[in-house]
Amino acid sequence: MLKVQNISFSYQSDITLKSISFSVKKGNTLAVIGESGCGKSTLLKLIYGLHDLDEGQIFWNEKEVLGPKYHLIPGMEFMKYLAQDFDLMPYITVAENVGKYLSNFYPVPKKERIAELLEIVEMTEYANVKAQFLSGGQMQRVAIARVLALEPEVLLLDEPFSHIDNFRKNSLRRKLFQYLKEKEITTIVATHDSTDVLSFADEVYIMQSGTIIESGLPQSIYNSPINKYVASLFDDVNEIILKGKTYFVFPHQLKIVEQSDIKVRVKKAYFRGNHYLVEADFNGIPLFFQSAEVISEGVLLCLSFEESSLKF
């Protein structure tokens, strides 16, 4: 089990992370989501041992994670950390980058391992291409394969799919997280992408201004956000005030009805493939809902939602 116990850290005078505690069971995937600058990346670096803590302790099982004051080369050998800059060697091939830390004493198993990892990240056809000729998304996929090469006990991923095209991202995510589950690799993903969180995380932590403001199952947090900030991390969100109560309502939760207290005038419809995202005016406030059909500008409508499914 990974245990983070009451840790705090600051780069200078301002506190970056404050009094953070949590634990992750072996083989589980934890997603940390929050706005840019909230401390997600710093948290991963501290868990890996790249910085010294101001307060608190971090343990993997019974072994304490220590920073540069205690290690000549920062970082824990049983962990792997994928940073946003990839850190590939540009003048060697994709296969050589992936196998960089694999022993040359066993050339056949090394070759097989490289081939397996390149298949997971869908980069087999680029095995003999030098890294300098890859796109940003291709580099990111190679970097993912490289951190898996020695099969770490703990894997720390910082925005692991941010440069990868959408058509390939979904397939890669499924393959990668399935592999991590099969190998029981404890994983922490820092991300801004709600798909990483909702589809693959066992637990979610919401960060804001260096603290964890909410944690729980993905379904629970999505269906019952504690405030507009949390809701906005997963989708467009409407803040609707009715009879003195505030509701945080996602566009898909609003339905067109014949009569209700939510009377809106349509301003614009955005085509989203299988539906339209409709922007409307509700008492001078923008409000968004989904529609199967395009709705013309200026149309008056009534909308409603199920209060029982929302937290306010």
Side-chain angles (χ1 to χ4, degrees):
M1 178 178 289
L2 180 69
K3 296 180 181 179
V4 176
Q5 300 178 344
N6 199 36
I7 66 169
S8 296
F9 175 79
S10 57
Y11 287 105
Q12 296 179 342
S13 57
D14 295 334
I15 296 176
T16 305
L17 298 178
K18 183 178 181 181
S19 302
I20 290 181
S21 297
F22 63 85
S23 61
V24 188
K25 293 180 180 179
K26 177 178 172 57
N28 276 9
T29 297
L30 168 67
V32 181
I33 188 170
E35 62 187 348
S36 298
C38 70
K40 303 187 302 293
S41 296
T42 299
L43 177 60
L44 294 193
K45 292 175 182 177
L46 291 170
I47 293 172
Y48 188 51
L50 294 183
H51 300 302
D52 294 302
L53 298 170
D54 294 343
E55 296 178 6
Q57 292 176 293
I58 300 173
F59 292 92
W60 170 245
N61 296 326
E62 302 302 319
K63 186 175 180 63
E64 185 172 8
V65 175
L66 299 172
K69 288 181 181 178
Y70 304 90
H71 292 117
L72 182 62
I73 301 176
M76 307 303 291
E77 60 180 10
F78 51 84
M79 295 187 186
K80 286 297 180 183
Y81 167 59
L82 177 62
Q84 295 187 45
D85 59 6
F86 314 146
D87 192 31
L88 298 181
M89 298 183 69
Y91 303 115
I92 63 175
T93 68
V94 165
E96 289 168 336
N97 267 286
V98 173
K100 179 180 177 182
Y101 300 111
L102 295 175
S103 173
N104 289 319
F105 284 104
Y106 306 98
V108 174
K110 178 176 180 176
K111 185 177 180 179
E112 292 173 349
R113 178 64 173 160
I114 291 171
E116 177 190 17
L117 293 168
L118 289 179
E119 183 177 354
I120 291 173
V121 298
E122 301 178 357
M123 286 291 290
T124 301
E125 61 188 287
Y126 295 91
N128 297 316
V129 177
K130 290 185 178 180
Q132 64 177 323
F133 299 120
L134 301 178
S135 68
Q138 290 169 335
M139 288 183 182
Q140 193 163 36
R141 286 149 58 194
V142 175
I144 291 171
R146 190 178 66 176
V147 297
L148 291 174
L150 291 176
E151 204 166 286
E153 296 177 60
V154 180
L155 181 61
L156 307 171
L157 302 173
D158 194 354
E159 301 286 1
F161 311 108
S162 58
H163 292 75
I164 298 172
D165 297 329
N166 283 332
F167 79 93
R168 195 178 296 275
K169 185 185 299 186
N170 293 331
S171 172
L172 176 58
R173 271 193 289 230
R174 288 191 291 268
K175 286 185 177 180
L176 175 61
F177 285 111
Q178 181 180 345
Y179 177 85
L180 296 175
K181 277 295 181 186
E182 290 173 353
K183 299 297 183 178
E184 294 190 318
I185 297 173
T186 303
T187 306
I188 301 180
V189 185
T191 182
H192 69 277
D193 191 333
S194 63
T195 306
D196 299 340
V197 175
L198 297 175
S199 301
F200 304 105
D202 296 298
E203 193 171 9
V204 181
Y205 286 177
I206 308 293
M207 287 194 69
Q208 185 177 31
S209 302
T211 61
I212 295 173
I213 64 171
E214 187 176 12
S215 63
L217 298 175
Q219 300 92 326
S220 299
I221 293 178
Y222 180 84
N223 290 324
S224 300
I226 60 170
N227 57 32
K228 189 174 183 179
Y229 170 76
V230 174
S232 67
L233 296 173
F234 296 97
D235 199 350
D236 292 308
V237 61
N238 302 295
E239 183 176 355
I240 301 175
I241 301 174
L242 293 174
K243 299 177 182 178
K245 293 183 179 181
T246 300
Y247 302 87
F248 305 113
V249 185
F250 294 119
H252 74 271
Q253 294 173 317
L254 286 166
K255 308 299 180 184
I256 299 174
V257 295
E258 291 185 3
Q259 187 65 35
S260 77
D261 292 331
I262 307 176
K263 297 178 174 61
V264 302
R265 184 181 296 275
V266 173
K267 295 176 65 177
K268 192 170 184 179
Y270 303 91
F271 182 59
R272 290 291 184 86
N274 62 353
H275 69 274
Y276 288 86
L277 179 67
V278 182
E279 180 182 358
D281 180 83
F282 173 55
N283 296 332
I285 299 172
L287 188 148
F288 295 87
F289 65 96
Q290 291 184 6
S291 171
E293 305 292 336
V294 64
I295 303 176
S296 301
E297 181 180 351
V299 172
L300 290 172
L301 295 170
C302 289
L303 302 173
S304 182
F305 59 89
E306 293 291 334
E307 295 185 22
S308 60
S309 66
L310 304 173
K311 185 174 181 178
F312 54 88

